[in-house]
Amino acid sequence: MSLKPKLGLIEKFAEGIGLIPKLNFEDGKIEPMNDPGDLSNYPPPEKWDDWVEYEPTKWSRKIKRHYTIVPTSCFNCESGCGLLSYVDKETGEVRKFEGNPYHPASRGRICAKGPATINQIKDPDRILHPMRRVGKRGAGKWERVSWDVVLDEIAAKIRKAIKEERNNEITYHVGRPGHEGFMDRVLQAWGVDGHNSHTNVCSAGARTGFALWDGFDRKMPDFANAEFILMISAHLESGHYFNPHAQRIIESKNSGTKIAVMDIRLSNTASRADHWMATYPGTEAAVLLAMAKIILDEGLYNEAYLRNWINWAAWLEADHPKTEISFENFILKLKEEYAEYTPEFAEQESGVTTQAVVDVARQIGRAGSRFSSINWRSASSGNLGGWQIARCLQFLNVLTGSLGTKGGSLPSSWNKYSPKMPNPPPPQKYWNELHFPKEYPLAHFEMSFLLPHFLKEGRGKIDVYFTRVFNPVWTFPDGFSWIEALRDTEKIGLHAALTPTWNETAYFADYVLPMGHASERHDIISYETHAGKWIAFRQPVLREVARRNGKAVKYTYETNPGEVWEEDEFWIELSWRIDPDGSLGIRDYFISPYRPGEKMTVDEYYQYIFERVPGLPEAAEKEGLTPLDYMRRFGAFEMEKEVLELHNKVLTEQQLYESLS
Amino acid sequence: MVDWKWPEHRLPGYIKSHIHTDGIESEKGEFPLVPTFRLPTLIHSRSGNAKWLAEISNRNPLWMHTSDADRLGFKNDDLLRVNTEIGYFIVKVWVTESMRPGVVACSHHIGRWRRPQDPVANRWATNSVEILEIESGKWKMNVLDGIQATEGEDSDLSRIFWRDGGVHQNITHAVHPDPISGMHCWHQKVRLEKAHPGDRHGDLFVDTEQSFQVYKDWLANSRPAPGPDGLRRPLWFKRPLKPVMEKFYLK
Ligand code: SF4
């Protein structure tokens, strides 16, 4: 490939009359900067401290820019892909975000929303100072206020509620979660049952269906090793963890894996499928059960797996007490149970042809333990009884024996790391019925979207309500009921919106508190994106640059724009102020694990966690780094490449005991 | 499931959805609306501050199959009134072959708004709207202006070429709590008609008294705790922020 681009006519002309500087392509005088020869997509880490590129906005002038490259993690969807931030060494400005090739899930590839992080941090309308409402709530009048005032006022209100045992009146309602476990720690330190979420407008259906099988409320399909993949949704372009998953699905497809997709739209995903099944919404379970029937009738099931892992004897005993208990009778009765789900019935309900149902069912049966499936939101979140869709989908994995296997679907917690935190607080002594009301004992999880109706019915009130990256007025159904609840100060005493940017819910807050974007705060991330197990770091990029330059930084807001804080430091500081003399026992959980009696810093918090990640201290030592410095430098660490077949591992006495207790 | 009063669902089974064809009168313009699909280029409600993303995706028309459009006499870009259980929204139709006949769909993310009194923000993606409470619980949102090119510290503000701003559909949806999973069942049964005189793209109306009634109707289908031993919830189910054990039991 030639490294000398040819000049166009216009460029030649412009060069000739001196309109633009001499481009010098033709005689090869433009200096190749980064070792031409092997094309490389990513700067190698040994050059991250001083990476040189031409200034892209004035490229023809050949101005060299020196960058320091700092890894962090994207926050624009749940995948948490690895980003590399390019910080101009001269101006200290973040110039762009690209993928981090050392991130085990995203492997350097990111979607359009990753690089757009630069838009968000440079957004001309972003909130730079804490704001307090003036006049009536929702009236649109605001004044600037200091962080000190904010922290003292909120802390005093929370302190009062806790002292009066109104712990259930404190709620933290989160949209896009993040800082894995940190918030649970804060809420339990306060002794409140105050976690509310977005789960029940998102994945409650799928979670319930999966959990009913084995207690694992989500599954991690090992797409990379699958022989047949069934996706209920436009998973390639917009599913949960779609970017890390899509890479692996397409790799699989390129090596011959067949794909079936149920989707009402000819989405990007459906267009890449071998079988597009445009099921009428909500009829997916009928189709899946017809497939189960075919697998049963044609003997394509995995007998050894079923014998071992299904409580078939218990079912026969309960539902068919007169039948002799044997595996053969189990199969017989199961066939009877599903006899009505013929492919013709599936066609009548869903519109998918009988032939397609049979065809896909057989391929699933033949793929056996290498059958991967996914349904996360989509059909399970659209329909009454949608949880049965996920349950029926997993039925196919059970019949084919493809749970926990290479190329099958794995329980998500196998591939997700739970960090060990310093001094965990005990469970709270409260049950908040605004979140977990009696009517929904099986819900996964908080009945978040009914909150305005619960308040309207007088089931309770909220004294302090935090919304964080959460915009129910806009995202949730029935937003006007949210507006009615939020504008009523009798129902919601104080509303603090933690958000980097204005939104429809923040308009109805008392305090709007600007928090950092992806590259302006700390966090840890570990998700079930593939058969491995990894942990990644989200770090405030300019704080890390300051550290590399030898500048002492105590708080992240020192390097953030305006007076933008990060959540971790906000919660530590707020907790400290709720318990000024330590009498509530809250301070105990925010004491440094390294400096007895002193307030914990975020550096210490992450240092503590990273020192306990299996394999990380050793990997760091090889680089001559501490575990924390390793994560600051590389941004991610893979602790295991493949976690498979754990169900077939024989436990020691000790492990068995621990799993029971 | 037997322990928790749902013996009929003890095995994997098929439950007819609330938008099953049994309850849809298509000759009256009724459809199931799938309002959930995501665009790969937008974040749920957090991309209004990302100019590159707003430039790529800035419309959320109603997807409809050609055969349905022909049957009902709708053309591309016709303005429709989409009637939900609790109100309506006004949207443009996009007639396409890439859609299952008999179903309509509308992506979320788009239809962000700000009122004249609100701080200027998310100018890449927000309509200016007025919100009127016509009488108690009856809410009308009117679009005053779509997205506008404007002056500002980012010179790209003056280069905004898109005007649409879309429609905020979720606000016209009633809550549908599934009695078992607690999931909000997103799909909506809607009735389509041509927009009325005076309807503008993005306008909408909601009656919250009606939405409260729909909430009550769905709530009535639940089968409350206690389960066995007075439990609020199966002990083996996950629960964020698990409280102390004794709180799992109803006294
Ligand atoms: S897929 Fe990755 S890059 Fe794209 S928004 Fe999600 S986390 Fe960011």
Side-chain angles (χ1 to χ4, degrees):
Chain A
M1 194 177 136
S2 165
L3 284 161
K4 300 175 196 166
K6 294 250 182 310
L7 290 191
L9 253 188
I10 294 177
E11 281 160 322
K12 274 189 187 157
F13 178 72
E15 204 185 83
I17 62 169
L19 258 183
I20 57 172
K22 280 262 182 227
L23 294 173
N24 286 337
F25 282 149
E26 313 264 295
D27 48 12
K29 277 192 198 145
I30 197 156
E31 188 192 342
M33 213 150 18
N34 298 314
D35 302 336
D38 292 335
L39 278 179
S40 146
N41 287 328
Y42 306 102
E46 58 277 12
K47 293 195 178 172
W48 284 7
D49 282 337
D50 187 23
W51 177 252
V52 192
E53 282 182 11
Y54 288 121
E55 167 60 43
T57 59
K58 303 182 182 68
W59 63 274
S60 60
R61 298 207 194 132
K62 291 179 278 175
I63 301 166
K64 287 183 184 172
R65 291 280 181 222
H66 290 256
Y67 297 101
T68 182
I69 293 179
V70 183
T72 191
S73 299
C74 182
F75 190 60
N76 283 341
C77 85
E78 67 292 329
S79 305
C81 299
L83 297 179
L84 293 183
S85 338
Y86 288 64
V87 183
D88 189 310
K89 292 180 87 156
E90 202 182 302
T91 63
E93 187 194 1
V94 185
R95 292 298 304 275
K96 64 172 173 177
F97 294 94
E98 294 191 354
N100 177 2
Y102 297 96
H103 191 283
S106 53
R107 304 183 293 189
R109 302 173 219 174
I110 48 178
C111 83
K113 307 190 286 293
T117 304
I118 194 76
N119 295 162
Q120 298 171 315
I121 65 175
K122 292 179 189 287
D123 167 26
D125 299 337
R126 69 179 290 182
I127 308 164
L128 292 173
H129 310 279
M131 306 296 276
R132 181 166 59 186
R133 139 175 95 89
V134 187
K136 278 173 72 176
R137 201 185 271 164
K141 291 209 173 56
W142 302 90
E143 63 179 3
R144 252 177 85 166
V145 59
S146 77
W147 276 103
D148 255 330
V149 168
V150 170
L151 285 158
D152 283 340
E153 285 192 18
I154 301 178
K157 229 169 147 56
I158 295 178
R159 178 180 170 78
K160 187 160 185 287
I162 292 174
K163 287 190 87 167
E164 294 169 5
E165 296 186 24
R166 291 182 288 109
N167 299 42
N168 276 349
E169 292 185 13
I170 300 163
T171 286
Y172 162 80
H173 206 151
V174 61
R176 163 83 10 251
H179 49 184
E180 207 58 49
F182 184 92
M183 234 9 246
D184 292 5
R185 209 177 164 280
V186 172
L187 295 169
Q188 290 192 316
W190 299 355
V192 306
D193 190 24
H195 186 275
N196 210 338
S197 68
H198 79 263
T199 304
N200 286 35
V201 300
C202 178
S203 57
R207 286 177 191 268
T208 307
F210 291 135
L212 283 172
W213 278 103
D214 48 24
F216 295 105
D217 65 346
R218 49 167 107 174
K219 295 295 173 309
M220 201 306 292
D222 182 18
F223 293 123
N225 296 303
E227 273 177 22
F228 194 87
I229 295 172
L230 172 59
M231 294 183 266
I232 304 182
S233 70
H235 192 65
L236 281 182
E237 73 225 63
S238 58
H240 209 244
Y241 310 136
F242 78 97
N243 173 34
H245 280 181
Q247 310 177 6
R248 291 166 174 93
I249 293 168
I250 294 300
E251 279 168 16
S252 251
K253 183 178 162 69
N254 289 345
S255 59
T257 299
K258 293 283 181 269
I259 296 175
V261 169
M262 294 186 186
D263 192 354
I264 49 144
R265 294 180 308 126
L266 182 58
S267 53
N268 298 146
T269 307
S271 70
R272 300 302 300 261
D274 299 282
H275 302 269
W276 173 32
M277 297 186 280
T279 39
Y280 183 89
T283 63
E284 293 78 5
V287 177
L288 296 168
L289 290 177
M291 291 176 179
K293 176 181 158 58
I294 292 161
I295 290 171
L296 281 167
D297 288 347
E298 301 190 2
L300 295 169
Y301 54 87
N302 182 331
E303 181 177 333
Y305 184 90
L306 292 176
R307 275 186 187 272
N308 255 334
W309 294 104
I310 298 299
N311 49 356
W312 47 271
W315 175 61
L316 276 184
E317 216 175 294
D319 271 15
H320 303 282
K322 296 202 184 91
T323 308
E324 188 202 333
I325 295 183
S326 70
F327 184 78
E328 291 68 31
N329 283 341
F330 160 64
I331 294 290
L332 205 72
K333 288 292 170 196
L334 203 57
K335 284 183 186 171
E336 279 175 28
E337 183 76 36
Y338 292 105
E340 62 186 298
Y341 290 99
T342 60
E344 290 76 18
F345 173 73
E347 172 168 348
Q348 171 204 319
E349 287 296 292
S350 70
V352 176
T353 64
T354 302
Q355 190 49 49
V357 176
V358 174
D359 204 17
V360 170
R362 287 185 180 147
Q363 292 186 65
I364 290 173
R366 281 199 293 271
S369 66
R370 288 189 183 240
F371 164 58
S372 269
S373 67
I374 189 146
N375 171 228
W376 189 236
R377 293 174 288 241
S378 178
S380 279
S381 62
N383 297 290
L384 173 70
W387 56 277
Q388 279 280 31
I389 297 169
R391 198 184 188 197
C392 292
L393 186 65
Q394 184 155 331
F395 192 19
L396 298 181
N397 286 105
V398 169
L399 287 174
T400 49
S402 51
L403 274 178
T405 53
K406 196 177 181 101
S409 288
L410 319 177
S412 61
S413 54
W414 291 9
N415 307 98
K416 184 175 161 73
Y417 175 71
S418 296
K420 311 259 172 308
M421 293 175 194
N423 191 17
Q428 72 280 9
K429 298 195 182 76
Y430 289 85
W431 183 289
N432 192 334
E433 292 199 351
L434 287 177
H435 303 163
F436 287 97
K438 291 187 197 68
E439 287 89 343
Y440 297 95
L442 306 176
H444 279 72
F445 299 112
E446 302 93 349
M447 297 304 295
S448 56
F449 62 96
L450 300 183
L451 188 61
H453 295 298
F454 292 160
L455 294 172
K456 190 168 179 166
E457 281 183 329
R459 291 187 184 214
K461 63 173 288 233
I462 299 176
D463 193 27
V464 178
Y465 187 54
F466 294 101
T467 52
R468 174 182 173 259
V469 208
F470 178 56
N471 184 8
V473 168
W474 198 86
T475 321
F476 274 35
D478 200 7
F480 282 116
S481 291
W482 280 89
I483 291 179
E484 288 177 3
L486 286 169
R487 70 177 179 179
D488 186 343
T489 49
E490 294 294 307
K491 294 196 175 87
I492 296 177
L494 182 152
H495 171 203
L498 279 59
T499 171
T501 182
W502 286 98
N503 64 47
E504 290 81 351
T505 300
Y507 301 153
F508 299 92
D510 300 311
Y511 291 96
V512 175
L513 307 178
M515 295 291 168
H517 287 291
S519 59
E520 298 166 341
R521 62 194 188 80
H522 285 93
D523 212 338
I524 37 173
I525 301 132
S526 176
Y527 291 132
E528 62 281 12
T529 51
H530 60 289
K533 198 185 220 180
W534 54 272
I535 187 165
F537 198 25
R538 183 173 286 130
Q539 63 178 333
V541 165
L542 294 180
R543 181 175 176 158
E544 170 60 5
V545 172
R547 200 187 63 85
R548 288 184 190 177
N549 292 337
K551 280 194 212 108
V553 174
K554 212 165 156 211
Y555 295 103
T556 298
Y557 60 74
E558 295 168 26
T559 55
N560 275 351
E563 292 182 279
V564 173
W565 274 45
E566 69 161 307
E567 283 93 347
D568 285 1
E569 289 175 346
F570 172 76
W571 297 116
I572 294 174
E573 191 55 40
L574 184 64
S575 303
W576 204 254
R577 294 191 195 201
I578 292 172
D579 191 14
D581 53 5
S583 60
L584 294 178
I586 292 173
R587 278 199 175 196
D588 294 350
Y589 303 104
F590 299 92
I591 300 278
S592 159
Y594 303 99
R595 295 171 297 122
E598 305 277 325
K599 185 164 48 175
M600 179 166 72
T601 65
V602 270
D603 279 346
E604 289 171 333
Y605 176 75
Y606 290 102
Q607 176 186 346
Y608 185 95
I609 288 174
F610 292 142
E611 282 172 353
R612 281 154 188 81
V613 172
L616 177 54
E618 294 76 13
E621 209 187 321
K622 267 195 213 141
E623 302 280 340
L625 298 169
T626 66
L628 177 61
D629 282 344
Y630 181 98
M631 294 303 281
R632 284 168 168 160
R633 173 129 198 102
F634 296 104
F637 176 70
E638 187 164 45
M639 54 203 84
E640 283 182 81
K641 284 237 170 303
E642 231 177 37
V643 189
L644 294 167
E645 304 275 353
L646 287 192
H647 58 301
N648 283 326
K649 231 172 88 179
V650 180
L651 297 182
T652 61
E653 286 281 322
Q654 175 68 17
Q655 285 168 324
L656 195 60
Y657 174 77
E658 281 168 10
S659 76
L660 290 175
S661 53
Chain B
M1 293 305 285
V2 177
D3 285 349
W4 292 85
K5 308 170 203 168
W6 294 98
E8 68 271 45
H9 297 316
R10 71 204 185 292
L11 292 182
Y14 169 46
I15 297 174
K16 284 191 176 175
S17 172
H18 62 299
I19 43 108
H20 189 270
T21 43
D22 288 353
I24 302 273
E25 297 187 61
S26 52
E27 60 289 349
K28 290 193 183 154
E30 289 181 359
F31 280 86
L33 164 68
V34 172
T36 41
F37 76 88
R38 263 168 113 181
L39 303 176
T41 42
L42 292 180
I43 310 152
H44 297 288
S45 79
R46 295 192 290 125
S47 20
N49 55 357
K51 59 184 178 184
W52 297 343
L53 301 179
E55 182 182 359
I56 300 169
S57 311
N58 44 60
R59 308 181 329 121
N60 63 341
L62 190 76
W63 292 41
M64 179 184 282
H65 190 261
T66 324
S67 59
D68 290 322
D70 287 349
R71 176 167 63 84
L72 296 165
F74 297 146
K75 293 186 314 301
N76 233 357
D77 280 345
D78 274 358
L79 217 49
L80 302 191
R81 191 185 266 217
V82 181
N83 295 285
T84 66
E85 291 152 288
I86 62 169
Y88 64 79
F89 64 93
I90 310 298
V91 70
K92 285 181 190 160
V93 65
W94 184 50
V95 179
T96 170
E97 290 285 319
S98 299
M99 184 65 207
R100 190 196 194 286
V103 184
V104 291
C106 184
S107 88
H108 81 172
H109 315 286
I110 299 171
R112 302 291 309 279
W113 48 263
R114 62 178 201 269
R115 304 164 304 168
Q117 68 264 41
D118 291 322
V120 170
N122 299 313
R123 279 175 282 177
W124 319 102
T126 43
N127 283 328
S128 312
V129 303
E130 61 173 4
I131 294 181
L132 309 169
E133 195 173 5
I134 309 167
E135 53 183 277
S136 174
K138 299 210 180 353
W139 295 87
K140 183 85 177 55
M141 185 188 293
N142 297 321
V143 172
L144 302 172
D145 252 322
I147 295 163
Q148 300 291 328
T150 168
E151 297 305 315
E153 59 195 85
D154 184 336
S155 54
D156 282 343
L157 282 167
S158 65
R159 302 188 183 99
I160 295 177
F161 57 82
W162 54 99
R163 295 285 173 265
D164 190 325
V167 56
H168 180 191
Q169 55 166 334
N170 292 7
I171 203 166
T172 68
H173 298 171
V175 294
H176 296 154
D178 183 281
I180 291 168
S181 67
M183 179 79 220
H184 168 57
C185 307
W186 275 101
H187 297 345
Q188 305 283 320
K189 173 176 154 177
V190 295
R191 188 173 51 79
L192 305 184
E193 58 179 325
K194 280 233 153 88
H196 295 194
D199 283 350
R200 278 190 69 178
H201 179 42
D203 287 357
L204 53 91
F205 170 79
V206 169
D207 180 347
T208 53
E209 288 303 322
Q210 232 162 318
S211 73
F212 189 66
Q213 193 50 51
V214 177
Y215 153 69
K216 285 286 198 190
D217 294 345
W218 281 68
L219 183 70
N221 294 327
S222 64
R223 298 182 191 167
D229 307 326
L231 274 171
R232 285 174 178 276
R233 180 176 183 80
L235 288 171
W236 59 278
F237 266 27
K238 286 215 306 199
R239 181 207 195 271
L241 212 67
K242 270 201 171 168
V244 290
M245 195 53 83
E246 58 264 29
K247 286 288 156 192
F248 275 82
Y249 296 88
L250 278 165
K251 280 183 205 94

